[in-house]
């Protein structure tokens, strides 16, 4: 990888100032598990690495009863994986965290980094000399997208495990930049071929997950080729809020299918206000299998991904429903 | 910068882009830790950082300066092998040996926090250490045997 200098702010404000000062030449480093491979592949050549580990409070992990979770962006994924509170009450997030890569990566990688991780595609995630055999893509300053042949924008896919779970749990990100603090639902963090809709001068500092309603349950399921290590081939997160047997609220999110966080609202609408039974679940799953936007990648075609998510949506809704009933 | 490895303090010179793996192997000549994939997918570079298994190929050396590093070399006490090392040898869990240091360190971290793991917990603990030789069966057996021995 090409050389760089460390910037080591001791406050978020100082960090933002450094981002402003050095323009587009800075990459933020948290755990480094997404950044270092990018540097090794020569996809990025930052002159500076902004190391946030010296900023106190960014790895704070707290639960405020009645309000919810406050997870600092630098919280290692492993902390979320091992939290019995998350397992009981925010199951989708615990399951998603446990699915990330490997134990070694979970010890280094952070929730902020998992959300902000770069999108991936078969062209981009190759060493430089391999990529040079084809024209550079949008992310490399070129004018083509090799994933969606002829595409005018990058359509590389978002493979984060935690994003779908956070979307299903209605989590929000706190982002700090030159204009101050803003809060964005994770579901609305758009990824236009760039990491998570943050501007170059912003830092994601915290994730807030509201306390789920009394009778609710969530689940995260993924399909991948091996039992560990791999990014998901497809992923589904579901959350249901029940009132007796009626589903008051449903949230369904997909991962590893499109470049951005993705809530399947048409399926949610079918569930909401109706009894959560086998028929309703099958109907919702069918809608997802029929209408979900999916992009083909190295693992599976779009068509097969739609088939996979239909199966996973059904299973995730059944599990989420059972967990809600057990409340 | 100072690096604290296997109980010793070392003074090393690093560039910002130098990885911990590179310092351990190239400067400190602790070649038990291996380079496999270079991007955190194989686990052969696993070391314990403050007791936790990490991929040393993903750790920039400068960021390990305040931390405690344990490599496979640090497990042996003089001429005595660690129980995990003995178990791996006795149970035929070492074939080419490339994944062995990383796998043993992942196992050590497991046993340090969970001295009597189930088989499933063992498999999860070493799920980040790829092995092309053994099919994992012997490694799992060795780790469970070492755990039983420690009882």
């Amino acid at each position: 990888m090409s050389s760089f200098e460390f910037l080591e702010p001791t406050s978020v404000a100082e960090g933002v100032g450094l981002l402003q000062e050095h323009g587009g030449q800075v990459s933020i480093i948290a755990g480094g598990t997404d950044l270092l491979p990018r540097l090794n592949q020569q996809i990025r050549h930052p002159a500076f690495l902004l190391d946030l580990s010296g900023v106190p409070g960014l790895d704070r992990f707290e639960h405020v009863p009645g309000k919810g979770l406050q997870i600092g962006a630098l919280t290692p994924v492993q902390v979320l994986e091992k939290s019995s509170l998350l397992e009981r009450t925010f199951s989708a997030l615990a399951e998603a965290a446990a699915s990330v890569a490997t134990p070694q990566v979970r010890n280094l990688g952070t929730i902020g980094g998992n959300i902000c991780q770069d999108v991936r595609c078969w062209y981009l995630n190759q060493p430089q000399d391999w990529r040079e055999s084809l024209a550079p893509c949008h992310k490399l300053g070129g004018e083509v997208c090799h994933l969606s042949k002829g595409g005018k924008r990058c359509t590389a896919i978002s493979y984060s495990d935690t994003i779908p779970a956070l979307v299903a749990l209605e989590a929000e990100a706190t982002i700090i930049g030159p204009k101050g603090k803003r809060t964005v639902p994770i579901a609305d963090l758009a990824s236009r071929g760039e990491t998570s809709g943050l501007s170059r001068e912003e830092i994601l500092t915290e994730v807030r997950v509201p306390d789920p309603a009394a009778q609710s349950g969530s689940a995260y399921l993924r399909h991948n080729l091996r039992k560990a290590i791999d990014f998901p081939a497809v992923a589904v997160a579901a959350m249901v809020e029940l009132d007796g047997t009626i589903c008051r609220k449903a949230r369904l999110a997909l991962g590893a299918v499109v470049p951005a966080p993705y809530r399947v609202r048409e399926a949610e609408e079918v569930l909401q206000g109706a009894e959560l039974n086998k028929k309703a679940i099958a109907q919702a799953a069918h809608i997802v299998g029929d209408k979900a936007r999916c992009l083909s990648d190295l693992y599976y075609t779009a068509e097969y991904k739609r088939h996979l998510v239909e199966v996973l949506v059904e299973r995730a809704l059944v599990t989420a429903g059972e967990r809600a009933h057990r409340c | 910068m100072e690096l604290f490895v296997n109980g010793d303090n070392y003074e090393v010179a690093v560039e910002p882009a130098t990885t911990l793996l590179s310092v351990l192997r190239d400067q400190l000549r602790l070649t038990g830790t291996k380079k496999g994939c270079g991007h955190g997918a194989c686990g052969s570079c696993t070391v314990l950082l403050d007791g936790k298994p990490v991929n040393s190929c993903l750790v920039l050396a400068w960021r390990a300066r305040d931390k405690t590093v344990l490599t496979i070399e640090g497990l042996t006490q003089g001429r005595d092998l660690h129980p995990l090392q003995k178990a791996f040898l006795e149970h035929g869990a070492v074939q080419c040996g490339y994944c062995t240091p990383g796998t043993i360190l992942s196992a050590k971290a497991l046993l340090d926090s969970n001295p009597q793991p189930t088989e499933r917990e063992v498999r999860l603990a070493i799920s980040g250490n790829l092995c092309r030789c053994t099919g994992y069966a012997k490694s799992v057996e060795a780790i469970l045997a070492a755990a039983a021995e420690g009882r």
Side-chain angles (χ1 to χ4, degrees):
Chain A
M1 59 178 117
S2 37
S3 191
F4 49 78
E5 268 177 60
F6 279 108
L7 300 171
E8 292 165 334
T10 53
S11 72
V12 175
E14 191 187 341
V16 171
L18 288 165
L19 288 174
Q20 286 181 282
E21 187 185 329
H22 294 287
Q25 295 188 76
V26 187
S27 283
I28 297 177
I29 184 165
T33 55
D34 190 53
L35 180 64
L36 256 65
R38 304 286 166 164
L39 299 181
N40 285 328
Q41 287 168 332
Q42 316 248 26
I43 292 173
R44 293 212 215 157
H45 310 87
F48 302 98
L49 251 53
L50 189 77
D51 184 347
L52 294 175
S53 58
V55 177
L58 284 184
D59 58 355
R60 189 181 62 153
F61 177 46
E62 264 176 48
H63 181 240
V64 181
K67 286 193 78 180
L69 288 172
Q70 291 172 356
I71 312 174
L74 290 194
T75 305
V77 171
Q78 178 264 138
V79 169
L80 303 180
E81 175 198 1
K82 301 271 196 273
S83 159
S84 48
L85 167 68
L86 250 59
E87 197 185 326
R88 275 194 321 269
T89 313
F90 302 86
S91 314
L93 184 55
E95 290 173 325
S99 305
V100 173
T102 65
Q104 292 92 322
V105 170
R106 296 195 287 271
N107 283 329
L108 285 172
T110 64
I111 179 82
N114 193 263
I115 293 168
C116 293
Q117 71 176 267
D118 214 347
V119 289
R120 310 176 65 82
C121 86
W122 59 261
Y123 171 75
L124 197 58
N125 291 91
Q126 298 291 353
Q128 187 176 23
D129 48 6
W130 191 99
R131 290 198 309 272
E132 280 169 359
S133 65
L134 292 175
C137 72
H138 293 290
K139 279 176 78 69
L140 299 173
E143 288 164 7
V144 298
C145 171
H146 294 290
L147 191 61
S148 68
K149 319 222 179 300
K152 292 198 172 57
R153 297 191 324 171
C154 170
T155 59
I157 296 171
S158 165
Y159 287 93
S160 159
D161 283 290
T162 60
I163 286 181
L166 291 168
V167 170
L169 293 171
E170 304 192 288
E172 293 183 329
T174 304
I175 297 167
I176 297 184
K179 299 197 191 117
K181 192 191 276 200
R182 63 187 179 103
T183 312
V184 182
I186 303 274
D188 299 337
L189 280 181
S191 182
R192 290 196 190 84
E194 264 311 322
T195 49
S196 61
L198 270 64
S199 83
R200 282 209 299 235
E201 297 165 345
E202 289 179 312
I203 298 175
L204 189 155
T205 57
E206 193 177 59
V207 175
R208 291 184 176 227
V209 191
D211 263 346
Q215 207 193 351
S216 66
S218 64
Y220 174 80
L221 288 173
R222 61 185 276 193
H223 179 76
N224 50 304
L225 297 168
R226 295 181 290 183
K227 288 181 183 164
I229 299 178
D230 291 338
F231 286 90
V234 294
V236 167
M239 189 272 283
V240 294
E241 228 176 76
L242 301 183
D243 189 354
T245 54
I246 304 294
C247 176
R248 209 166 38 191
K249 187 196 273 190
R251 291 289 176 266
L252 265 178
L254 303 185
V257 291
V258 289
Y262 182 19
R263 247 178 80 184
V264 194
R265 287 165 208 260
E266 308 96 306
E268 293 172 356
E269 279 157 20
V270 145
L271 294 166
Q272 282 168 173
E275 189 181 311
L276 189 73
N277 53 30
K278 266 181 103 167
K279 185 166 167 223
I281 288 175
Q283 195 183 1
H286 188 72
I287 289 178
V288 175
D290 208 30
K291 296 208 161 49
R293 289 178 285 127
C294 289
L295 290 171
S296 303
D297 62 13
L298 212 54
Y299 293 133
Y300 296 116
T301 60
E303 188 193 330
Y304 193 62
K305 284 192 183 186
R306 275 192 286 275
H307 168 71
L308 286 172
V309 293
E310 179 169 345
V311 173
L312 291 184
V313 162
E314 187 159 346
R315 292 181 190 172
L317 284 171
V318 167
T319 304
E322 284 170 358
R323 288 174 177 163
H325 279 300
R326 266 185 260 139
C327 275
Chain B
M1 61 167 255
E2 268 193 343
L3 206 51
F4 193 61
V5 183
N6 299 337
D8 289 322
N9 248 329
Y10 294 92
E11 185 68 36
V12 293
V14 302
E15 312 230 319
T18 310
T19 60
L20 177 60
L21 175 64
S22 166
V23 169
L24 291 172
R25 288 184 56 82
D26 304 332
Q27 289 194 46
L28 300 185
R29 299 298 189 203
L30 294 170
T31 53
T33 312
K34 310 299 182 196
K35 180 169 183 179
C37 68
H39 59 264
C42 76
S44 58
C45 69
T46 302
V47 298
L48 298 190
L49 196 63
D50 288 345
K52 296 198 173 116
V54 298
N55 298 310
S56 58
C57 70
L58 294 182
V59 176
L60 293 169
W62 172 246
R63 300 181 93 211
R65 65 192 183 282
D66 301 319
K67 304 194 194 296
T68 308
V69 181
L70 184 74
T71 71
I72 189 69
E73 289 89 349
L75 277 199
T76 324
Q77 299 292 325
R79 306 204 64 178
D80 292 326
L81 293 179
H82 188 276
L84 275 167
Q85 291 172 307
K86 282 197 205 128
F88 265 62
L89 290 172
E90 281 162 17
H91 289 264
V94 182
Q95 291 190 33
C96 80
Y98 208 76
C99 75
T100 307
T103 309
I104 287 182
L105 287 171
S106 291
K108 173 177 160 49
L110 170 71
L111 296 183
D112 283 348
S113 67
N114 181 1
Q116 297 304 325
T118 62
E119 181 181 326
R120 182 177 150 77
E121 286 168 335
V122 170
R123 286 184 180 271
L124 280 171
I126 63 172
S127 62
N129 294 92
L130 287 178
C131 174
R132 288 295 273 131
C133 297
T134 67
Y136 305 100
K138 298 291 184 181
S139 316
V140 171
E141 202 182 284
I143 296 167
L144 289 170
E149 188 94 354
R151 228 191 325 232

